[in-house]
Amino acid sequence: MKNKLILIIFALTFLFSKFLISDQDFIEHLLDINLNSDNSISVKNIANNKILRGSFSGNIEAKNHTNFNNAKIECDLLGRSYKGRGFSCGFGIIEDLQGFCYIDVENSGMLIASWQCNTSAGINGDASCLGKVNIEQGLDKFAGISGFGKISMPLAKSFIDKEKISMPMRLNLKIKYPLSLN
């Protein structure tokens, strides 16, 4: 009886310890994206709102993780631009955007991520779109991958006037790889 109790306690301790350390398995990836100038964003005016849709692309620089260095990224977006409460209790143009990004790592596989962001004040006082990212699916080498993170990107209106893209896009991803990839 005593041996069975010890065995059950040992099994429960082992089982719960696996769940407690699982958050430590996420690896952080800082991805800086140099956006291309041939992006396509269209605007549809509806009353005082603008419906934004289109796509943009770029190349990833990831100096700390070679898996994603020189990978290509393509993103689709859909959103709304409207006059609302802005910074310092004033009124400004706000963008609420969402979409999907496809990260193509040459000869290795692809990641599909969903994202959403809205207008926020940047570090230098300039407006940018800040929000969240979720890894939806990994293909080929990245099959079984999971993760989440943050997105920081230029406002969609800056894609329309290609000369005004003042900041790169940045993804800060926390990715958990399947055991076979470690």
Side-chain angles (χ1 to χ4, degrees):
M1 179 71 174
K2 186 177 179 182
N3 289 340
K4 287 182 183 180
L5 182 62
I6 291 173
L7 183 61
I8 290 171
I9 291 172
F10 179 77
L12 289 175
T13 303
F14 178 76
L15 179 66
F16 286 117
S17 68
K18 284 297 227 183
F19 290 120
L20 293 175
I21 62 168
S22 66
D23 284 349
Q24 296 174 357
D25 294 337
F26 285 93
I27 299 171
E28 188 170 14
H29 296 273
L30 297 173
L31 308 179
D32 289 322
I33 298 148
N34 296 317
L35 296 168
N36 297 334
S37 60
D38 61 347
N39 301 305
S40 172
I41 308 293
S42 65
V43 178
K44 183 176 189 177
N45 291 312
I46 299 177
N48 292 332
N49 295 295
K50 294 180 180 181
I51 304 301
L52 307 163
R53 67 179 174 186
S55 63
F56 57 93
S57 60
N59 296 313
I60 295 175
E61 286 183 25
K63 296 174 184 124
N64 62 342
H65 293 285
T66 57
N67 273 350
F68 296 102
N69 200 31
N70 296 322
K72 305 223 179 299
I73 186 168
E74 183 179 336
C75 300
D76 295 320
L77 74 81
L78 179 64
R80 178 174 83 111
S81 177
Y82 58 95
K83 193 170 199 173
R85 278 244 181 253
F87 314 109
S88 301
C89 296
F91 287 92
I93 302 299
I94 307 294
E95 288 185 1
D96 290 325
L97 306 173
Q98 60 186 348
F100 286 93
C101 286
Y102 318 99
I103 300 173
D104 186 6
V105 181
E106 189 174 322
N107 299 324
S108 293
M110 183 178 281
L111 284 179
I112 300 172
S114 63
W115 57 271
Q116 62 183 35
C117 66
N118 54 33
T119 304
S120 297
I123 295 172
N124 299 328
D126 54 342
S128 62
C129 200
L130 302 177
K132 297 180 180 183
V133 177
N134 286 312
I135 303 293
E136 299 295 336
Q137 183 178 9
L139 303 170
D140 296 331
K141 179 182 175 183
F142 300 109
I145 208 167
S146 64
F148 58 93
K150 297 178 183 177
I151 186 172
S152 172
M153 61 182 264
L155 297 176
K157 68 181 180 182
S158 66
F159 289 116
I160 296 166
D161 185 2
K162 296 168 182 27
E163 305 296 320
K164 290 189 177 181
I165 297 179
S166 61
M167 61 176 284
M169 182 175 162
R170 172 173 270 186
L171 295 175
N172 183 351
L173 300 177
K174 294 187 181 189
I175 297 175
K176 185 173 185 177
Y177 291 91
L179 292 177
S180 63
L181 291 178
N182 287 340

